[in-house]
Amino acid sequence: MHHIGAAQLADSQTGGERSVAQATRLLPIGLTQARGRRARPPRHLADLDPAGRRAAVAELGQPGYRADQLSRHYFGRLTDDPADMTDLPSGLRTELAGALLPPLLTAQRELECDGGTTRKTLWRAFDGAFVESVLMRYPDRVTMCVSSQSGCGMACPFCATGQAGLTRNLSAAEIVTQVFAGARAMATGAVPGGPGRVSNVVFMGMGEPLANYASVLAAVRRITEPAPAGLGISQRSVTVSTVGLVPAIRKLADEELSVRLAVSLHAPDDELRDDLVPVNRRWKVAEVLDAAFGYAAATGRRVSIEYAMIRDINDQAWRAELLAGLLAGRLAHVNLIPLNPTPGSKWTASDPAVADEFFDRLASRGVPVTVRDTRGTQIDGACGQLAAASSPS
Ligand code: SAH
């Protein structure tokens, strides 16, 4: 019997695209279902492209240039406070901001480590759904790790987010808001190291971005279009990470974007990957890699193969060799992630010597490989540790 995928249920709530809903319709039994129909998040400027914004202000009886003024404040000057919008008549400020800049996410709690340069924010949405985002400031870049869903329906057993299941998809503006908050914190000098900009965005927070395709795509456009249309972050500095929803990867390859694709592979063989990444029961390693290489060919961008090193589970020498065989000569590189601890999981990170050997085997076969510098483990803000629903608030 065919199961209706969580992604489809949730996608239909936020107006997601049917084709991707169809693509994810056959998610294997056991993946979490969304629970019931919910109200949509309020409409926000960041949900709309410039033409949509002009139409929205026209509905309020205002000329189109008001939309551009509002956009310059929000995307250009990073303010959503009507008091700052002194080029708008005062009554109109509140009306326009009330209609198009509704508060979407409220910060519930902020945790920091690394001297304040790693900061995790727990956000509460209008309906009580929780998400988290993480800002990481490095000497040469500032990366915002954003959530695309509240919870996740992919049920990967080593990931904390997967354990509680999917609550719902985020709207485009709910995603953009997370980047906006980071951009504002950087601009105002709230992050130690002086004022700066968010240079990179990774869709590696809660959720499976390609199961919320339409909103994620709209968010990518808002994040990357130059101000006042968007936040002006380079497409090349945006990474979309996926468990491997093959039809959605193929669709993304046709969008004429130059964002980086990351594929959470974690195992080179179907037998193990069926357990580690349950959606592999639907789309096998060979199909996922074929789609990933197709993405690389279409965009000219190397795909990133994510591989969490789990002790005695996926770190054997023969698996390194198998992985090298799949990737050698391809436009791909491997990003090894030391497994981060998650509650209730029996797994731990690979022994460093074993991880080194795995690395060397890939490198010696000519496969580009890096080890991810994971940040935020102290604040449960590292890969796979975001689990806002179970956090005290
Ligand atoms: N659903 C998407 C986006 C989440 S990204 C995806 O899976 O790609 C989060 C990244 O961290 C993914 O590569 C994920 O597999 C990895 N990850 C999850 N749990 C982890 C853990 N406990 N330790 C290290 N990495 C983990």
Side-chain angles (χ1 to χ4, degrees), residues 50-232:
R53 294 173 207 171
R54 282 192 286 275
V57 300
E59 282 168 26
L60 299 168
Q62 291 298 321
Y65 68 84
R66 296 293 187 206
D68 302 336
Q69 286 176 300
L70 212 51
S71 297
R72 275 197 292 277
H73 287 299
Y74 184 81
F75 291 103
R77 298 179 54 222
L78 302 175
T79 181
D80 54 4
D81 181 353
D84 294 333
M85 305 179 184
T86 50
D87 56 345
L88 292 165
S90 57
L92 192 58
R93 284 177 213 166
T94 3
E95 188 193 338
L96 286 181
L100 285 167
L101 297 172
L104 294 175
L105 300 179
T106 314
Q108 291 285 113
R109 192 178 53 178
E110 196 121 27
L111 294 175
E112 53 177 70
C113 60
D114 302 321
T117 59
T118 302
R119 312 162 79 87
K120 179 174 85 163
T121 309
L122 171 68
W123 302 99
R124 187 181 194 280
F126 82 105
D127 58 351
F130 284 104
V131 293
E132 291 179 312
S133 61
V134 186
L135 181 149
M136 291 160 283
R137 181 173 207 163
Y138 299 89
D140 60 332
R141 66 187 192 280
V142 178
T143 301
M144 272 306 296
C145 176
V146 298
S147 297
S148 56
Q149 300 180 312
S150 176
C152 185
M154 298 296 124
C156 304
F158 55 92
C159 176
T161 310
Q163 304 319 301
L166 177 68
T167 300
R168 69 165 168 86
N169 279 340
L170 300 190
S171 66
E174 285 175 319
I175 299 169
V176 174
T177 294
Q178 299 167 54
V179 183
F180 176 88
R184 187 154 64 177
M186 285 303 301
T188 60
V191 181
R197 298 178 59 248
V198 169
S199 57
N200 296 66
V201 175
V202 296
F203 283 80
M204 295 190 181
M206 298 173 81
E208 167 50 42
L210 295 188
N212 182 17
Y213 191 92
S215 294
V216 165
L217 242 280
V220 166
R221 295 196 193 283
R222 290 307 94 73
I223 289 164
T224 58
E225 277 161 8
L231 290 169

Side-chain angles (χ1 to χ4, degrees), residues 367-386:
V367 176
V369 52
T370 49
V371 178
R372 179 177 295 169
D373 161 33
T374 49
R375 278 223 192 168
T377 40
Q378 308 95 304
I379 54 172
D380 283 350
C383 306
Q385 294 187 314
L386 302 184

Side-chain angles (χ1 to χ4, degrees), residues 265-350:
L265 196 69
H266 306 310
D269 54 305
D270 289 319
E271 192 184 354
L272 178 57
R273 195 167 191 270
D274 280 351
D275 289 338
L276 292 183
V277 184
V279 78
N280 195 70
R281 295 171 209 161
R282 178 69 180 82
W283 291 291
K284 298 294 173 192
V285 170
E287 291 172 271
V288 171
L289 289 180
D290 189 59
F293 300 149
Y295 186 87
T299 59
R301 299 222 57 193
R302 227 161 56 156
V303 289
S304 178
I305 303 297
E306 310 293 299
Y307 201 101
M309 298 291 289
I310 314 176
R311 182 175 300 189
D312 298 333
I313 299 291
N314 66 352
D315 59 0
Q316 301 84 354
W318 71 266
R319 284 202 160 93
E321 295 297 334
L322 188 56
L323 183 62
L326 295 173
L327 300 181
R330 300 297 195 152
L331 204 53
H333 87 272
V334 176
N335 201 5
L336 298 176
I337 318 170
L339 186 80
N340 293 308
T342 59
S345 169
K346 52 190 184 298
W347 291 325
T348 60
S350 299

